Amino acid sequence: MVTLILTLLIFGCPVPAVVMAFKIDERTLSDWLDKAGEHARRVQDHLVCQGQLDLGQVQQGELWCRSQRGVVWVATAISVASRLLIWGSVASGRTEAMIAEVVRHVHRAARLQSPILWATDGFATWKGQILRCFRSAVLSGRRGRPRLVEWAELHIVQVVKRTYGQRIERRLAFGDLFEALHMIEVTQGKRGTVNTAFVERLNATLRTWLPALTRRSRHAGTDAQRLERRFFLTATAYNFVRPHRSLRIQVDGRWVERTPGMVAGLTDHPWTIEELLRFQVPPLHTAA
């Protein structure tokens, strides 16, 4: 029953509907969601953020919602080629700390010095945090702290949407424009312009699955911490449970459904919700 109820909640069923259908106290459901969400965060961190992924093009996005304690912001980052939701962060404002956390986890997920293209909006904090995080030490043999240099194949493009005149400005913020356009073609499978279309589709999916993120909804989130746990429960289901139609391939005349986790090489089959809840995350080993 726990698995069934969590499946309904993950894919957007409102809590009041589950309370009425199963006659379970709302506080019990909230406790299940908190525990499952914390577990999902550890699963996401253990599988995704291990420095083994060739991310290619990464798009970032932000969305906001109303909670019982004010406006809450959610920042996300997605790998375009695999549609893998790399990480997300929830904060009470559009803060530098929220953006830094997302960039830091993307850095942890990326293979060292692998080519990476960031597509961001015009918020300057994204560029600053990316350049600060995606650097490597250059050893000179001299005493003292080594010099830090940005990755050789790091590129940043920005998509700035102007509210007046419905104008969209696309610009190169760092790196080489020719290489950036080449990475867009490789990761999207065809030639295209600088865009953030894939993360916008992700945000639309999140608004569908998370009632608290739905526009003009009365299902307001309680606070940022609880919303973040619910977000990671949805994120792991997005990555490992539900196959994406755009990722399916034809093998021997049959369509094979794939999840972002399968395309990224993190698993070999679509998970069930029970597999997600029972996944054993190795304990952290701390130095004595």
Side-chain angles (χ1 to χ4, degrees):
M1 181 177 287
V2 173
T3 303
L4 173 61
I5 291 175
L6 286 177
T7 301
L8 293 173
L9 294 174
I10 287 172
F11 290 99
C13 185
V15 171
V18 175
V19 170
M20 290 300 297
F22 293 91
K23 307 302 181 184
I24 296 178
D25 192 276
E26 187 172 345
R27 291 168 296 183
T28 301
L29 296 181
S30 179
D31 186 55
W32 289 356
L33 284 170
D34 286 346
K35 292 179 179 178
E38 188 60 37
H39 171 73
R41 180 190 177 98
R42 294 195 300 269
V43 172
Q44 178 81 2
D45 185 70
H46 171 69
L47 292 178
V48 176
C49 302
Q50 296 298 321
Q52 301 296 322
L53 301 179
D54 293 316
L55 298 176
Q57 182 185 175
V58 174
Q59 294 186 1
Q60 64 80 205
E62 301 164 30
L63 61 160
W64 63 272
C65 68
R66 293 183 176 87
S67 73
Q68 295 175 4
R69 300 181 183 178
V71 173
V72 174
W73 283 81
V74 182
T76 57
I78 184 176
S79 175
V80 171
S82 63
R83 311 297 194 272
L84 185 75
L85 200 171
I86 305 168
W87 200 257
S89 180
V90 180
S92 56
R94 201 182 186 192
T95 63
E96 183 176 342
M98 176 185 72
I99 293 173
E101 181 180 356
V102 175
V103 174
R104 185 170 60 253
H105 281 84
V106 174
H107 179 266
R108 288 181 54 200
R111 193 186 304 275
L112 184 64
Q113 294 291 349
S114 60
I116 184 168
L117 168 66
W118 275 85
T120 73
D121 56 24
F123 194 32
T125 304
W126 282 102
K127 176 185 175 182
Q129 290 298 328
I130 293 168
L131 293 178
R132 182 177 302 174
C133 195
F134 283 81
R135 298 186 294 176
S136 299
V138 177
L139 301 178
S140 62
R142 300 177 180 178
R143 296 179 60 184
R145 183 178 179 181
R147 185 166 62 98
L148 298 177
V149 178
E150 290 83 7
W151 287 15
E153 297 188 72
L154 171 65
H155 313 280
I156 305 174
V157 293
Q158 293 179 324
V159 180
V160 184
K161 298 180 179 179
R162 307 293 185 183
T163 55
Y164 53 88
Q166 297 182 351
R167 187 168 64 90
I168 299 178
E169 179 183 352
R170 298 175 172 88
R171 61 196 181 200
L172 178 72
F174 183 84
D176 183 85
L177 181 58
F178 177 80
E179 292 295 332
L181 293 176
H182 175 69
M183 292 187 66
I184 290 175
E185 182 178 355
V186 171
T187 55
Q188 297 182 186
K190 59 182 180 180
R191 292 185 180 182
T193 59
V194 175
N195 67 85
T196 54
F198 292 87
V199 76
E200 289 172 2
R201 293 173 191 170
L202 166 67
N203 289 342
T205 300
L206 293 177
R207 289 190 185 278
T208 302
W209 290 8
L210 278 170
L213 298 181
T214 305
R215 296 181 184 272
R216 298 180 181 180
S217 170
R218 296 184 62 186
H219 297 283
T222 53
D223 53 44
Q225 291 184 347
R226 183 157 289 175
L227 178 60
E228 187 169 64
R229 298 189 192 103
R230 181 76 182 273
F231 166 84
F232 276 104
L233 185 57
T234 301
T236 51
Y238 177 90
N239 284 336
F240 299 104
V241 175
R242 184 177 180 180
H244 292 220
R245 184 179 179 85
S246 62
L247 298 178
R248 65 177 185 168
I249 58 175
Q250 206 166 19
V251 179
D252 297 331
R254 298 182 60 184
W255 287 104
V256 177
E257 303 288 343
R258 299 190 300 171
T259 64
M262 294 172 64
V263 178
L266 302 176
T267 182
D268 59 357
H269 67 282
W271 289 9
T272 63
I273 295 296
E274 185 172 357
E275 282 183 274
L276 170 60
L277 298 176
R278 293 183 179 276
F279 184 87
Q280 296 294 321
V281 180
L284 294 176
H285 296 285
T286 57

